[in-house]
Amino acid sequence: MSQNPLLILSDNDNIAVALQKIEPGRQFASLGFVAQSAIASGHKVALTEIASGQEIIKYGGVIGIATKDIIPGEHVHVHNVAMAQFQRSQTYGSKAQDTHFVPASERATFQGYRRADGNVGTRNYVGIVTSVNCSASAAKHLAREAERSGLLDQFPGVDGIVPIVHGAGCCIGTDDEAFRKLQSAIWGYATHPNFASVLMLGLGCEANQIPLMLEAYGRPQDKSFQYYTLQSAGGTRKSVEKGLLWLETALEEAVKAKRETVDASHLSVALQCGGSDGYSGITANPALGHAVDLLVKNGGTAALSETPEIYGAEHLLTDRAASPEVGQQLVDLLEWWEEYAAKHGSEMNNNPTPGNKAGGLTTILEKSLGAVAKAGSTKLNGVYKYGEKITAKGLVFVDGPGYDPVSITGEVASGCNMICFTTGRGSCYGNKPVPSIKIASNSAMYARMQDDMDLNCGAIAEGSETVPEAGQRIFEAILETASGTKTRSEELNVGEAEFAPWQTYAQM
């Protein structure tokens, strides 16, 4: 990209994106217009006359309709654009292309922890996973007491002790899909390869009974996996004392794990964007998409999520579906979301957020077209429920909301052992037990928030780096981080409060 003040993304577009603040009255002689008002960086300016009711086109796709006549040089945003419904193609698989895989002997590699079940971890934590909110405080007390006592210092090969707590687990029905979402999220963390050992801790009388969960998922207790309840142990103090005894054994088991060379087919990367702006779909997201293509070619897996944030751009994924069944599964999810939003008196266009709009995004259609760029260009090989274990390789989709902690919780529960998080407004997200690489879409925000940002893709808009070059950097960072290099959030010790299961049930 050049350093021109305006960027036109497609020959069919009737808007351009401002790459710097545009002052009113600035002339664009080559385009035949004058800026009618101040236009912030990342926002849109009209290239042509756009009549009221006419479609607004960006990325070559529809992002809304004009609510009034717009003249060339005018700012195009929420004051003159509304959500639009339009016909999307449903030609499942019509653009799916075979991937040219790297031979197994030549795949990229990283240093990971190979677990007994064949899965590979990128970190080596011990987890205390709660079945219900009623045991959350005890879990946190146990982790703090272990840290205070210096117990963890005796095991330098262990990354830490993580209490996984939440605000659910009781007064809910146990025979519906909503309960399955909660249970699969909890179980997905309890069996995650980034945990060497896990204690499941309950109260005892909750709806989400641990023995029933073990029975449903078929996991026996052993040295690295134990459970008990506060009621059976005799209360909080005795539960903590019992937990400290368990931790000595658990840490002894965990420290036996050593990093070894494994290939990139053992990586499963959660794709996320949060605090997006007008640059996200131009810089960070397509760069991450290029990294995803490299990962898939090396045998790995990438999981796209945030179902509401592909709304209006789903055809770009269904056209790449590996089969008509996969394409239909994705469309079925979106139809569920339309009903879900309507049932709660909401609408799909309630996303983007105020921060997204301040950054230049006007409608969910615009946000979705940019968000889908994270998925690269390979086939869509599978569609999964929230927290459902991913079994396919390559690009897949995991259902989840646009709220980042909830969505990522589902991806991690589904088995992702790395996270790549693009942002334009800035994010301070971290996750334990999975490292989160945060990728800035613009250089100004990156400079302001360097303590939280891992990579900057702003140079793409500035013309000093290409999308493939940035994508290669991201792919290399994924391998390095998976091998043990700490992310910014890990250096700041962020990530113990981000377990947030999706709650869609009736709380009774």
Side-chain angles (χ1 to χ4, degrees):
M1 294 181 185
S2 69
Q3 296 195 41
N4 291 331
L6 297 179
L7 174 64
I8 302 172
L9 294 165
S10 168
D11 291 340
N12 296 324
D13 290 0
N14 54 14
I15 60 90
V17 179
L19 296 180
Q20 55 188 243
K21 183 179 180 181
I22 306 298
E23 297 295 342
R26 181 168 181 173
Q27 295 190 4
F28 294 88
S30 62
L31 296 172
F33 66 80
V34 175
Q36 300 297 306
S37 63
I39 300 168
S41 177
H43 284 241
K44 298 175 288 297
V45 58
L47 294 171
T48 64
E49 290 186 359
I50 306 173
S52 179
Q54 185 179 340
E55 292 175 341
I56 309 295
I57 308 297
K58 181 182 178 184
Y59 304 108
V62 178
I63 66 166
I65 58 169
T67 57
K68 59 183 72 174
D69 292 341
I70 301 172
I71 64 173
E74 192 172 345
H75 184 204
V76 177
H77 200 29
V78 292
H79 62 285
N80 54 16
V81 178
M83 178 72 169
Q85 292 296 339
F86 64 98
Q87 188 65 38
R88 275 93 92 183
S89 68
Q90 298 295 357
T91 52
Y92 298 154
S94 63
K95 296 181 181 178
Q97 298 180 356
D98 291 333
T99 301
H100 298 290
F101 292 103
V102 174
S105 60
E106 299 174 17
R107 287 174 181 163
T109 61
F110 71 100
Q111 299 297 305
Y113 295 99
R114 194 184 295 275
R115 305 302 186 190
D117 62 2
N119 290 313
V120 173
T122 58
R123 293 294 183 267
N124 194 39
Y125 283 103
V126 169
I128 307 165
V129 179
T130 56
S131 61
V132 66
N133 179 256
C134 307
S135 55
S137 292
K140 288 194 248 185
H141 282 322
L142 174 54
R144 282 198 297 265
E145 183 61 24
E147 182 177 351
R148 187 200 63 76
S149 68
L151 177 62
L152 187 60
D153 297 338
Q154 303 172 35
F155 303 92
V158 180
D159 290 308
I161 301 167
V162 184
I164 299 296
V165 302
H166 54 95
C170 201
C171 295
I172 54 177
T174 59
D175 57 354
D176 58 14
E177 181 64 19
F179 181 69
R180 187 209 64 80
K181 286 185 175 72
L182 173 64
Q183 203 172 57
S184 61
I186 294 170
W187 189 253
Y189 272 65
T191 56
H192 198 279
N194 282 13
F195 281 135
S197 300
V198 167
L199 169 68
M200 291 198 77
L201 186 62
L203 175 62
C205 55
E206 61 268 22
N208 186 32
Q209 289 284 304
I210 296 175
L212 295 180
M213 204 182 316
L214 269 60
E215 181 180 328
Y217 290 98
R219 174 71 188 259
Q221 294 193 78
D222 53 35
K223 285 185 178 180
S224 63
F225 187 86
Q226 292 286 315
Y227 84 89
Y228 60 87
T229 68
L230 274 63
Q231 291 170 350
S232 65
T236 301
R237 188 183 301 278
K238 291 178 181 177
S239 292
V240 170
E241 292 171 353
K242 183 174 182 176
L244 288 171
L245 293 175
W246 170 82
L247 274 172
E248 291 185 18
T249 301
L251 289 166
E252 288 172 358
E253 286 297 307
V255 81
K256 294 176 183 177
K258 306 295 181 185
R259 289 191 182 273
E260 58 182 277
T261 302
V262 293
D263 69 54
S265 67
H266 295 286
L267 285 173
S268 183
V269 180
L271 310 177
Q272 195 77 10
C273 55
S276 299
D277 69 349
Y279 287 104
S280 294
I282 299 168
T283 61
N285 287 351
L288 179 54
H290 184 80
V292 165
D293 286 349
L294 295 175
L295 175 65
V296 171
K297 289 176 182 178
N298 279 272
T301 301
L304 188 65
S305 187
E306 300 179 284
T307 313
E309 295 188 14
I310 66 163
Y311 187 73
E314 69 274 8
H315 56 287
L316 300 178
L317 295 171
T318 57
D319 283 353
R320 291 155 46 193
S323 68
E325 292 76 17
V326 169
Q328 187 59 53
Q329 286 172 352
L330 190 61
V331 171
D332 289 345
L333 288 184
L334 287 162
E335 290 177 351
W336 181 91
W337 271 94
E338 287 179 323
E339 295 176 3
Y340 178 63
K343 182 173 68 174
H344 291 278
S346 187
E347 57 177 301
M348 299 299 280
N349 200 44
N350 280 356
N351 183 345
T353 65
N356 296 150
K357 292 175 181 177
L361 296 177
T362 303
T363 67
I364 186 57
L365 303 179
E366 180 181 10
K367 189 176 185 181
S368 293
L369 286 167
V372 167
K374 300 193 302 293
S377 62
T378 62
K379 287 182 183 178
L380 178 66
N381 289 329
V383 174
Y384 295 89
K385 297 177 182 179
Y386 185 82
E388 182 182 5
K389 288 296 183 185
I390 297 169
T391 55
K393 293 290 187 180
L395 176 67
V396 301
F397 192 90
V398 176
D399 188 24
Y403 184 34
D404 304 315
V406 180
S407 179
I408 298 176
T409 292
E411 291 173 293
V412 170
S414 289
C416 291
N417 55 10
M418 284 291 304
I419 300 163
C420 282
F421 191 133
T422 65
T423 179
R425 305 292 290 171
S427 172
C428 302
Y429 182 85
N431 183 290
K432 292 183 181 181
V434 178
S436 175
I437 300 172
K438 293 190 293 299
I439 305 165
S441 73
N442 65 85
S443 298
M445 183 274 289
Y446 176 78
R448 189 172 64 252
M449 297 187 66
Q450 282 195 46
D451 287 345
D452 291 279
M453 294 296 110
D454 295 282
L455 299 171
N456 179 30
C457 287
I460 297 172
E462 295 155 11
S464 58
E465 187 175 40
T466 66
V467 167
E469 288 170 344
Q472 180 67 39
R473 279 197 300 118
I474 295 171
F475 181 58
E476 291 171 359
I478 291 171
L479 296 173
E480 291 169 4
T481 304
S483 297
T485 299
K486 286 189 175 183
T487 63
R488 294 291 195 184
S489 61
E490 288 178 305
E491 290 173 350
L492 292 168
N493 197 28
V494 172
E496 287 190 0
E498 283 72 12
F499 179 70
W502 184 15
Q503 298 181 25
T504 60
Y505 47 78
Q507 190 83 54
M508 303 304 289

